[in-house]
């Protein structure tokens, strides 16, 4: 009779440890998935910014809005900025990066 009780305790203990291990494993998998998803979003944002920069710089050079010595440092007037926003490729790039063009024009 005592042996049967000990056996039941061992089975209950084994099931408890098995469920605890599976639960911890699932939590670790969830954390890993979140880390990979976050890294993917950061990489996608980086690619979007690079594409936007290339598009805007190409539009500036095509429109000859300003003479650039350093392509990352330049000043343009508001009128010339509005002329840049007439370029459909630049508008698509801005909207692709979730930039509100109407709010940008209001600024």
């Amino acid at each position: 009779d005592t042996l049967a009780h000990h056996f039941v305790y061992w089975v209950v203990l084994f099931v408890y440890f098995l469920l605890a291990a599976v639960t911890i494993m699932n939590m670790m998998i969830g954390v890993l998935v979140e880390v990979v998803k976050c890294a993917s979003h950061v990489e996608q944002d980086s690619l979007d910014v690079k594409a936007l920069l290339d598009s805007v710089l190409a539009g500036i050079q095509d429109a000859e809005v300003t003479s650039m010595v350093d392509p990352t440092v330049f000043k343009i007037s508001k009128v010339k900025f509005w002329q840049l926003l007439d370029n459909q490729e630049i508008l698509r790039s801005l909207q692709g990066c979730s930039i509100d063009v109407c709010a940008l024009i209001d600024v």
Side-chain angles (χ1 to χ4, degrees):
D1 189 42
T2 318
L3 183 62
H5 286 305
H6 289 297
F7 179 72
V8 171
Y9 290 142
W10 278 106
V11 170
V12 169
L13 187 65
F14 179 74
V15 169
Y16 175 78
F17 284 141
L18 182 67
L19 288 175
V22 169
T23 302
I24 291 172
M25 182 181 64
N26 283 335
M27 288 182 357
M28 293 173 97
I29 289 171
V31 169
L32 183 64
V33 166
E34 286 298 317
V35 167
V36 169
K37 187 166 72 170
C38 181
S40 171
H41 284 300
V42 168
E43 185 66 25
Q44 184 63 41
D45 289 346
S46 172
L47 291 174
D48 286 346
V49 167
K50 175 73 172 134
L52 178 62
L53 178 66
D54 291 343
S55 172
V56 169
L57 288 178
I60 288 172
Q61 290 173 349
D62 290 344
E64 296 177 358
V65 173
T66 183
S67 59
M68 292 186 294
V69 176
D70 183 9
T72 58
V73 179
F74 55 89
K75 292 182 180 181
I76 59 174
S77 68
K78 197 175 226 184
V79 173
K80 290 185 179 185
F81 180 71
W82 286 341
Q83 289 173 354
L84 280 178
L85 292 181
D86 287 336
N87 187 337
Q88 293 298 317
E89 183 180 336
I90 292 176
L91 286 177
R92 274 189 240 111
S93 296
L94 289 170
Q95 290 171 344
C97 290
S98 300
I99 295 175
D100 187 9
V101 178
C102 295
L104 188 62
I105 291 173
D106 290 340
V107 173

